[in-house]
Structures are given as structure tokens and as C-alpha cells.
Amino acid sequence: MENKRNTLSSALLVLPRDLHTVLKNAPKKILDGVMEIILRVNRPLCVECKDKRYYFTQNNCVTDTIFDQKMVIVSAQNIFETFQNICNYSVYSRQHEINNGYITLKGGHRAGICGSAVVSNNKITNIKDITSINIRVAREVFGCSEEMYNKVDFSKGVLICGAPCSGKTTLIRDIARKLSYEKKVSVIDERGELACTVSGVFQNDIGMCDVYDSYIKADAINHSLRTMSPDIIVCDEISTIADVNALCNGVNSGVSFVATIHADSLENLLSRGITKEILKTNAFSQIVFLHSRENVGKISSIHSLDEIGGEYFD
């Protein structure tokens, strides 16, 4: 298993020159492990790596501790310039993404934005006065689904569970890519994290999949069933009753699903109110728990639906 490419350099391009220079000159060991670049107005520049969080000092050092008066501080102008770069100086054209709290970047990166919401008729219509930007660095890991390929039958439906940042999205991207050369696969990319489509161009290698980018998940599943005749539908984060109803439609159409859900243990999964409705659809015959984000694709445990059964469905 190996990274297809380290794409940090393209993520750095959206930063203002001063912050770009600071990060570009950081030790290679740290740059190779960067998962997130976090900008907070009037707070120290920060990067999240697999092992810990790092900050940068004004004398070109890297530390895991904040020192008063000695850190590289992100200014309001830094935030403004980064936001304009992320939007390619066309905020209006990215408004739909902005309203959802993130913007997909070239290279497959994703910038989460935080600020003051503008609300109309109980819907967010804009986010202004941006105070934080979190750039999640994309790294495709080819072959990370190999262990799962050897242990589960995707044609019978698989629900993949893990804690946040345990590699679920990276894993199902690799699964979808590999399956697409054997089956007809539709990818439901509601949040733009799988194919990472920018202006109609996939930033990640998604193989021969048909991609529904930025659709509401339930709508995309139903559209796929009606028009693309998929064998398998791959999607991230099943979480609503509308999603459950779409799963039922898919099962009734003979389609298999590979999907994810936030849960770090079987007990945690079964304690969630939506879980019973998800499992009652019979869309998933196997439930897989992932190990950690340090080992993308590493399986912690596998459970069959029959194994759970019994009183849980009474």
C-alpha cells in the first residue's frame, strides 16, 4: 500500500505568501504527515498531523507548544486572502458550497469555513466574517481496501464503521475505484470528498464510477436507481430517515450498498437511534469496524447481521 501522491504542495497554493513560506520551509518529516492546515484569526498557525498538533515560531522553529509573543499568528488579512484564493476570487460561484460550510479545492483538498451565518427562512444563505479555515489535505491511498477485499463480500452490502478521521472516506474511495472495473458503480458524493469534483473534473481517481456530486444523498440514490442501473452504490455517512428510505428503494431494486457511519464500536453503533432503521433495510449483511486513522483500511472487527439479530430487531 502506498500514497498515490503527496499533494500538500497544491494545498499550500491557496495560502497567502507569508504563511505559504512558513509551511514550505517546515521539516520534511512534518510536511509528509500534515492532515489539516488550520487558520484561526489572531491565533497561531497550526497543522494537524497523525501524531500531534504543531505550531510555528517567528524564528522558523516548529513546536507542539504555544509560546507567548513568539508564534506565527494568523491575521484577519490572512484569512481574507485565503478565502478569496479558495473561491478563486469568485465567491458567488462557490455560494452553494459556502452555505454548506466547505469548498472543494483543486487537488482534492477541502476547506472548511467558520464564521457568522446569514439565515433566511431557517436556511443558511451565506457565511460572512470568516474567522477560521480548516484545509484538509487530500491523500489517495491506493490499495488500502485490499484487506477488506479479502474478508468481505461487497455484493451482499457492507456498512463500514469508524471514529472520525479513521480513514472511512479514503477507504471507500479505494473500494469504489476497484469495484468499478468489475461492476457498475454509482458514487454518491454529497460532500464532495470522494471524487472531489471541481468544475466537472474529478480531482481523485474514481475509476469507472458514475459520480453524483453535491446531491442530497437520498435524491442521488433514487436518481441513480432510475437512470444508471448500478450494481453497487457507494456513499458516505448514512444518517437520516430519508437516507434509510432510499436504501430500501435500492434493496428492492436489487442493488448492493457500501456505506459508512460514525461509530467506534458495536455498542456505540447499536446505541444510536437510526441504526435499527438502517439495519432493518437488509442493505448490509456485514458490519466492519476500522482500527484507526494511522492504519487506513485496517480492520478491527467484522460482524454479520445474523450475529446481531435477535432481540435488537424485536
Side-chain angles (χ1 to χ4, degrees):
M1 183 192 307
E2 62 178 351
N3 286 342
K4 176 189 175 187
R5 62 182 186 274
N6 183 327
T7 56
L8 178 62
S9 58
S10 62
L12 297 181
L13 292 177
V14 301
L15 298 177
R17 181 175 298 179
D18 54 342
L19 300 185
H20 182 282
T21 300
V22 169
L23 288 174
K24 187 176 180 180
N25 292 331
K28 183 177 185 300
K29 180 179 179 180
I30 290 179
L31 293 180
D32 286 346
V34 172
M35 301 179 71
E36 298 177 348
I37 303 167
I38 305 173
L39 314 182
R40 298 183 178 98
V41 67
N42 297 330
R43 295 294 182 269
L45 174 64
C46 171
V47 296
E48 291 275 357
C49 296
K50 289 183 178 180
D51 55 345
K52 62 176 64 176
R53 180 179 302 164
Y54 293 100
Y55 307 95
F56 302 84
T57 68
Q58 294 174 5
N59 59 352
N60 300 318
C61 292
V62 182
T63 175
D64 59 4
T65 305
I66 296 177
F67 302 101
D68 291 342
Q69 310 301 320
K70 296 182 179 180
M71 311 308 297
V72 173
I73 302 299
V74 177
S75 68
Q77 182 63 27
N78 287 151
I79 294 284
F80 175 78
E81 289 181 25
T82 302
F83 181 63
Q84 291 296 319
N85 290 339
I86 286 170
C87 296
N88 197 25
Y89 290 88
S90 179
V91 174
Y92 176 79
S93 68
R94 310 306 293 272
Q95 195 64 58
H96 173 72
E97 293 176 274
I98 292 169
N99 295 350
N100 286 319
Y102 64 87
I103 298 172
T104 302
L105 311 177
K106 289 184 178 179
H109 315 293
R110 178 173 171 176
I113 56 177
C114 179
S116 300
V118 178
V119 180
S120 177
N121 296 323
N122 294 320
K123 291 185 177 181
I124 295 176
T125 58
N126 196 10
I127 298 176
K128 64 178 185 179
D129 301 329
I130 308 301
T131 54
S132 299
I133 298 175
N134 182 354
I135 301 170
R136 295 183 62 177
V137 179
R139 285 189 173 92
E140 295 179 87
V141 185
F142 276 58
C144 64
S145 63
E146 185 174 347
E147 180 186 11
M148 194 168 294
Y149 247 86
N150 294 329
K151 293 184 177 181
V152 303
D153 184 351
F154 293 107
S155 68
K156 295 182 179 179
V158 179
L159 182 64
I160 299 171
C161 309
C165 297
S166 60
K168 297 187 297 297
T169 300
T170 301
L171 176 63
I172 65 169
R173 182 189 300 121
D174 195 59
I175 290 170
R177 176 172 49 236
K178 191 167 183 178
L179 285 172
S180 73
Y181 293 105
E182 307 167 3
K183 305 283 187 179
K184 291 181 67 176
V185 178
S186 286
V187 167
I188 312 305
D189 201 5
E190 184 175 25
R191 298 181 301 176
E193 291 186 312
L194 295 171
C196 296
T197 307
V198 176
S199 300
V201 178
F202 301 148
Q203 302 299 299
N204 291 326
D205 184 350
I206 205 68
M208 299 295 291
C209 295
D210 300 307
V211 178
Y212 289 81
D213 174 63
S214 300
Y215 280 67
I216 294 172
K217 188 179 290 92
D219 289 344
I221 291 173
N222 289 325
H223 284 203
S224 176
L225 294 173
R226 288 196 297 265
T227 62
M228 302 307 292
S229 62
D231 299 308
I232 297 175
I233 292 178
V234 176
C235 58
D236 226 348
E237 302 302 335
I238 298 295
S239 59
T240 70
I241 291 298
D243 296 344
V244 171
N245 292 336
L247 288 177
C248 288
N249 292 339
V251 171
N252 292 336
S253 299
V255 173
S256 300
F257 285 89
V258 178
T260 68
I261 192 170
H262 281 314
D264 57 9
S265 68
L266 184 60
E267 293 74 20
N268 178 256
L269 175 68
L270 297 182
S271 69
R272 299 181 59 183
I274 195 69
T275 300
K276 179 180 289 189
E277 301 306 318
I278 292 173
L279 298 184
K280 282 170 63 176
T281 65
N282 290 315
F284 308 104
S285 66
Q286 292 175 295
I287 301 171
V288 178
F289 287 88
L290 301 183
H291 190 267
S292 68
R293 72 180 183 180
E294 286 79 15
N295 299 284
V296 177
K298 183 68 175 177
I299 295 174
S300 173
S301 62
I302 301 176
H303 306 268
S304 70
L305 192 62
D306 292 338
E307 177 186 334
I308 296 172
E311 295 181 0
Y312 183 73
F313 292 105
D314 291 342

